[in-house]
Amino acid sequence: MFYKLIDEINKLKELKFDEISKKLEDIIFNTDNFLDIIYNIGIIPESIGHDTTEEKAFSKLSDIVLARAFREIGLDSDVLKTRGNSADVYAESKIHKYSLVADAKSFRMSRTAKNQKDFKIDALSKWKKNEDYTILCSPYFQYPRKKSQIYKQSLEKNVCLLSWEHLIFLIENKIKEDKYLNLKNIWNFGNLYSEKISLKDSENNFFDNFNKKFCITINIDNAKLNNTLINQINIITNRSIEEKSYLENEINTIKNYTKEQAISKLIKSQKLEDRIKHIDDFIKKVQL
């Protein structure tokens, strides 16, 4: 289902972005194969070019998947339509009367260097505005393994560092918020945990503690969550084979280019003609 969705994104690239978003929402909010999508959504396929319409569509897809995931665990949720300087997903608990905003993150396997700006903790805390909680949802294994400023920032600003794997676990185990289960104890982890540690430890990876709190809240043994993480490692490993195969095929294709094809591809990859057009468009506006 996931790769069919990627094919769909490639077919939709000629449409306006709002039309693409609407079609993706129709697919995600109505599919019966949602788990297959959420298993894979944390990894941007190498077949999707960097800084392209397809990459923007994939980013929107991840927002829609996050909204559907919140619905699966009993919250009312939707993708926000506002553009820029705003969170992408809104959710609320009708039962326990709280609200939250969230941002979805996905990464390429081929991009290993990340910094704290990639996680947008500070921006998310500002986008919270009048809502009760803020969540960043990223692939579990893309969070820094040891010390990082993002852990300190998340505690200071009470931004919950969630993962796609945590949501997978909730959905697989059919966990839904009800009058007896209040998930705000997960979203509010930053406030609760920051009271227990010293400032010098605030940059340490806290996921062992977060996972314990997560499992206690939903009353499921921590070992079951570890099984989900192990299963996800297997899925990621299989994805790595797919992604490497795509890149290897690209290498072989390029090796067989004629000189003219190679020149044309290089010009296109550098977006040289597009940049010339942008300069011409700018001059036209200035002259008006």
Side-chain angles (χ1 to χ4, degrees):
M1 176 63 188
F2 177 74
Y3 281 105
K4 287 182 180 179
L5 204 51
I6 301 308
D7 290 340
E8 192 68 25
I9 286 175
N10 289 324
K11 292 176 188 174
L12 296 175
K13 63 184 178 182
E14 301 302 326
L15 298 178
K16 292 180 180 178
F17 193 72
D18 288 344
E19 294 175 318
I20 294 174
S21 299
K22 181 66 171 64
K23 283 186 176 291
L24 292 174
E25 285 182 13
D26 289 342
I27 294 169
I28 297 302
F29 290 150
N30 293 292
T31 182
D32 293 327
N33 296 315
F34 181 62
L35 272 174
D36 180 60
I37 296 169
I38 198 171
Y39 286 146
N40 288 282
I41 195 64
I43 299 170
I44 302 173
E46 296 297 332
S47 61
I48 291 180
H50 176 65
D51 198 23
T52 59
T53 299
E54 293 92 328
E55 187 177 61
K56 291 174 184 175
F58 188 90
S59 177
K60 179 56 66 175
L61 172 65
S62 67
D63 296 334
I64 299 166
V65 170
L66 182 56
R68 166 76 186 264
F70 283 135
R71 293 183 185 188
E72 291 287 325
I73 61 174
L75 305 182
D76 286 352
S77 183
D78 219 331
V79 179
L80 295 171
K81 305 301 180 186
T82 52
R83 301 272 179 86
N85 296 317
S86 171
D88 295 312
V89 177
Y90 173 82
E92 62 179 325
S93 170
K94 296 291 188 182
I95 299 171
H96 298 291
K97 308 301 181 185
Y98 66 76
S99 60
L100 61 87
V101 292
D103 192 41
K105 296 294 291 183
S106 298
F107 293 98
R108 298 175 186 274
M109 286 187 179
S110 59
R111 186 190 170 203
T112 56
K114 294 182 290 297
N115 57 51
Q116 62 194 50
K117 290 182 181 179
D118 291 319
F119 295 95
K120 300 192 293 189
I121 305 291
D122 187 57
L124 260 171
S125 69
K126 293 174 182 175
W127 296 340
K128 175 183 172 184
K129 297 180 182 176
N130 297 320
E131 313 309 336
D132 297 301
Y133 304 108
T134 315
I135 295 173
L136 172 67
C137 186
S138 173
Y140 188 86
F141 299 101
Q142 291 284 5
Y143 282 117
R145 296 187 66 179
K146 296 182 180 179
K147 284 191 172 186
S148 173
Q149 277 287 321
I150 74 162
Y151 296 118
K152 180 180 179 182
Q153 290 174 353
S154 73
L155 295 177
E156 289 175 344
K157 301 180 184 298
N158 197 29
V159 173
C160 175
L161 301 187
L162 194 67
S163 75
W164 294 111
E165 286 77 4
H166 288 107
L167 290 171
I168 288 167
F169 184 71
L170 292 173
I171 295 167
E172 284 181 331
N173 287 280
K174 296 180 170 47
I175 302 296
K176 287 198 174 201
E177 194 174 68
D178 56 29
K179 65 180 180 179
Y180 303 107
L181 175 61
N182 189 342
L183 295 174
K184 78 173 185 180
N185 292 324
I186 296 173
W187 320 142
N188 196 37
F189 173 82
N191 271 344
L192 300 173
Y193 185 67
S194 60
E195 296 173 356
K196 300 178 181 179
I197 61 167
S198 64
L199 183 61
K200 71 180 180 67
D201 293 327
S202 62
E203 291 186 10
N204 292 343
N205 181 319
F206 52 59
F207 269 107
D208 282 346
N209 290 286
F210 178 83
N211 291 346
K212 289 175 185 175
K213 181 66 176 177
F214 177 83
C215 290
I216 289 170
T217 300
I218 62 177
N219 195 28
I220 294 184
D221 190 273
N222 197 46
K224 287 193 73 173
L225 176 59
N226 289 335
N227 289 337
T228 292
L229 294 176
I230 290 169
N231 183 60
Q232 194 65 8
I233 289 172
N234 292 332
I235 291 171
I236 291 169
T237 301
N238 289 332
R239 277 292 304 276
S240 74
I241 296 170
E242 296 280 348
E243 301 307 326
K244 287 193 297 181
S245 177
Y246 171 81
L247 294 175
E248 287 163 357
N249 287 337
E250 286 291 287
I251 290 170
N252 290 330
T253 299
I254 290 170
K255 283 181 176 179
N256 290 319
Y257 278 170
T258 63
K259 180 180 177 181
E260 289 74 19
Q261 286 174 323
I263 291 170
S264 176
K265 185 77 170 180
L266 181 60
I267 290 171
K268 187 175 181 180
S269 69
Q270 296 290 320
K271 297 184 178 180
L272 300 178
E273 291 174 342
D274 287 342
R275 287 153 70 181
I276 290 171
K277 183 179 182 301
H278 290 325
I279 291 172
D280 287 339
D281 290 342
F282 173 73
I283 294 300
K284 286 178 184 177
K285 290 178 182 178
V286 171
Q287 291 173 341
L288 290 175

